[in-house]
Amino acid sequence: MEIPVQQKKLSLDIKGNKTDIVICAYDDHFMVIATQIGSMGTILQARKEEGVSIHPTFSVSVLLGKRDEPMLVACARQIIEHISNAGSSRSLVLSLGLRDHSLPTLKGIVSAVTENCLW
C-alpha cells in the first residue's frame, strides 16, 4: 500500500546529539519534525504573507510549547524562506524537540532540511 504523503526520514549527529528528522509534503503544508528527545517539542507555524509588496514577508507563530525561544522562530523563518524561494506557496508546520537550542544546532537542522527538501 502506497503512503499518500511524500516523506523523507533521516538521522544525523548534530553537536553530539542524535537528531531524527522527518519531512512530509502535504497538499497545502510541509511538516518538518526534528527531535533529539524522541518527542515533538515546540510546534511552530510559518507562512508567507500575501501582499502587494515586492519583498515577501513571513509570519511565524508558536502553536504549542516554548514561546520565549527566538532561535526556534528564526529556524522556522529560515526554512519558510527557503520554501518560498524554491517557488512553493505552501506553509510550514515545524516541530523542534531539541536538547540543545544553540545556533550551531539550529543551523545544522536548517541545513539538513534544505539539503533533503521535498519542495
Side-chain angles (χ1 to χ4, degrees), residues 44-50 56-63 73 76-78 80-81 90-93:
L44 304 102
Q45 181 176 30
R47 60 189 166 88
K48 181 179 176 182
E49 295 288 339
E50 298 300 324
T57 57
F58 301 94
S59 167
V60 179
S61 58
V62 176
L63 300 178
V73 172
R77 182 176 170 85
Q78 288 280 311
I80 193 63
E81 284 183 17
R90 290 188 237 182
S91 60
L92 169 71
V93 175

Side-chain angles (χ1 to χ4, degrees), residues 32-48:
V32 175
I33 302 168
T35 186
Q36 297 172 332
I37 60 174
S39 63
M40 297 284 281
T42 300
I43 300 174
L44 304 102
Q45 181 176 30
R47 60 189 166 88
K48 181 179 176 182

Side-chain angles (χ1 to χ4, degrees), residues 10-81:
L10 55 141
S11 188
L12 61 150
D13 185 278
I14 299 177
K15 288 189 64 190
N17 289 304
K18 179 181 181 261
T19 307
D20 296 314
I21 299 175
V22 179
I23 305 166
C24 301
Y26 294 89
D27 287 341
D28 57 348
H29 282 73
F30 292 105
M31 183 170 72
V32 175
I33 302 168
T35 186
Q36 297 172 332
I37 60 174
S39 63
M40 297 284 281
T42 300
I43 300 174
L44 304 102
Q45 181 176 30
R47 60 189 166 88
K48 181 179 176 182
E49 295 288 339
E50 298 300 324
V52 294
S53 174
I54 296 171
H55 304 289
T57 57
F58 301 94
S59 167
V60 179
S61 58
V62 176
L63 300 178
L64 298 168
K66 295 185 177 192
R67 298 186 184 279
D68 59 346
E69 289 279 350
M71 295 304 291
L72 301 183
V73 172
C75 183
R77 182 176 170 85
Q78 288 280 311
I79 296 171
I80 193 63
E81 284 183 17

